[in-house]
Amino acid sequence: MSPRAKSAPLPDLILEPLVRAALMEDLGTYGDITTRTVIPAGTTYSARLNAREPGVVSGLQIAALAFRLVDPALKITAHKADGDVIAPGDLLMEISGDAASILSGERVALNFAGRMSGIATLTAAFVAETRGTNTRVTCTRKTTPGLRIVEKQAVLHGGGFNHRFGLSDAILIKDNHIAAAGGIRPVLQSVKARASHMIRCEIEVDRLDQLAEVLDEGGADVVLLDNMDTSMLAKAVDMTARQVVLEASGNMKLDRIAEVAATGVDYISSGALTHSAQVLDLGLDF
């Protein structure tokens, strides 16, 4: 994995409600009773957040926020940044101050950082398979409820791109929309008549005759080529001659990405980036 362009961090103001809710879930109504019972008041310590396996780190901003919400007096020193490639044993962050505060924030910080780093690492692996092409890897809406913003940020840290964030920021006409609206032409005619000029439109097809109908009717900025085999994807690229942006989707697993990118599609979207990523092993060591 090679270094990647860094995306700007999100404002803590956006992240804080997510982290605060996770802390409240963990601390409950009476706080960390184990720590309060066994750690003498005033005990200070310095903890180290370390990588235990290779990957791309993400969620360090969130981890730091978790510790600060528990105790603003904690001193946090970053040694790596979100989007960095890491190796086992790498020091990612140091947290110094009240030992009880560090222990109370530990699990929430690790849950976020491990989950987000797993997404970033899997995304980086997908992106590596597109090397030498102009194809971009993008995520989907198949995210953990309530965590979409941070999971999509992790995709960026892995070198991928973000698809729409929700139902309100782009038109994406799926097969069920087409069936309910009476066909490809009626649904595209409706978009042209009713949609704002500021909103982009994507339409899903799974056959080349449907793609031809989309191109003939017009009104779509992006065509999602769903569950097509590789030879059909290559024919779709030839048919469109760059008239529209093409996104390949459906069963896009790591071992298939290189051959799909070689067809010349503009984007490959995969829900696996967020719904199937394995947590990256990170540890907080005292």
Side-chain angles (χ1 to χ4, degrees):
M1 289 173 285
S2 59
R4 63 206 75 255
K6 300 293 178 62
S7 61
L10 290 167
D12 281 352
L13 180 68
I14 294 174
L15 299 175
E16 184 171 314
L18 303 179
V19 182
R20 187 178 294 276
L23 287 168
M24 291 300 296
E25 177 183 59
D26 211 24
L27 293 170
T29 58
Y30 198 54
D32 183 353
I33 60 172
T34 305
T35 295
R36 288 210 322 274
T37 301
V38 304
I39 304 296
T43 302
T44 60
Y45 216 92
S46 181
R48 297 159 62 91
L49 179 60
N50 296 316
R52 294 177 177 169
E53 60 181 319
V56 176
V57 71
S58 179
L60 291 181
Q61 179 190 2
I62 306 169
L65 180 57
F67 287 117
R68 290 200 304 272
L69 285 173
V70 171
D71 185 351
L74 291 176
K75 180 183 177 183
I76 299 169
T77 305
H79 293 272
K80 294 289 185 180
D82 287 331
D84 282 350
V85 176
I86 57 174
D90 279 355
L91 174 61
L92 310 180
M93 180 188 296
E94 288 181 281
I95 309 97
S96 301
D98 184 72
S101 297
I102 297 171
L103 289 165
S104 295
E106 173 185 9
R107 179 42 51 197
V108 168
L110 286 175
N111 282 352
F112 274 111
R115 169 72 177 152
M116 300 312 124
S117 295
I119 292 171
T121 299
L122 182 58
T123 301
F126 271 65
V127 171
E129 293 296 312
T130 69
R131 190 173 292 120
T133 74
N134 292 319
T135 301
R136 294 175 168 183
V137 171
T138 184
C139 55
T140 70
R141 286 167 48 239
K142 295 177 182 177
T143 53
T144 307
L147 297 182
R148 181 170 296 168
I149 185 69
V150 293
E151 292 187 346
K152 281 183 172 284
Q153 185 77 350
V155 169
L156 296 180
H157 292 151
F161 288 78
N162 287 161
H163 211 284
R164 62 177 179 161
F165 274 76
L167 296 174
S168 65
D169 56 314
I171 294 170
L172 202 172
I173 303 165
K174 305 281 281 184
D175 54 355
N176 287 339
H177 297 104
I178 293 169
I184 286 176
R185 289 190 187 276
V187 80
L188 287 175
Q189 289 166 1
S190 182
V191 166
K192 287 186 285 186
R194 301 168 67 182
S196 165
H197 68 291
M198 296 296 290
I199 295 180
R200 287 167 65 83
C201 172
E202 179 173 15
I203 188 168
E204 175 188 296
V205 302
D206 54 21
R207 303 193 313 269
L208 294 180
D209 63 307
Q210 293 176 318
L211 175 59
E213 190 174 1
V214 170
L215 295 174
D216 183 61
E217 178 62 40
D221 304 290
V222 185
V223 178
L224 189 156
L225 307 172
D226 189 46
N227 285 307
M228 291 187 177
D229 62 30
T230 305
S231 63
M232 191 179 295
L233 289 171
K235 291 175 183 176
V237 171
D238 289 340
M239 282 178 62
T240 58
R242 302 297 173 188
Q243 295 178 61
V244 294
V245 173
L246 292 179
E247 173 190 336
S249 188
N251 196 35
M252 292 297 163
K253 298 180 180 178
L254 184 60
D255 60 3
R256 193 183 172 212
I257 300 305
E259 69 177 58
V260 172
T263 67
V265 295
D266 300 289
Y267 288 87
I268 297 173
S269 60
S270 176
L273 301 180
T274 50
H275 71 56
S276 295
Q278 297 295 309
V279 171
L280 197 71
D281 191 7
L282 309 176
L284 191 71
D285 300 318
F286 268 55

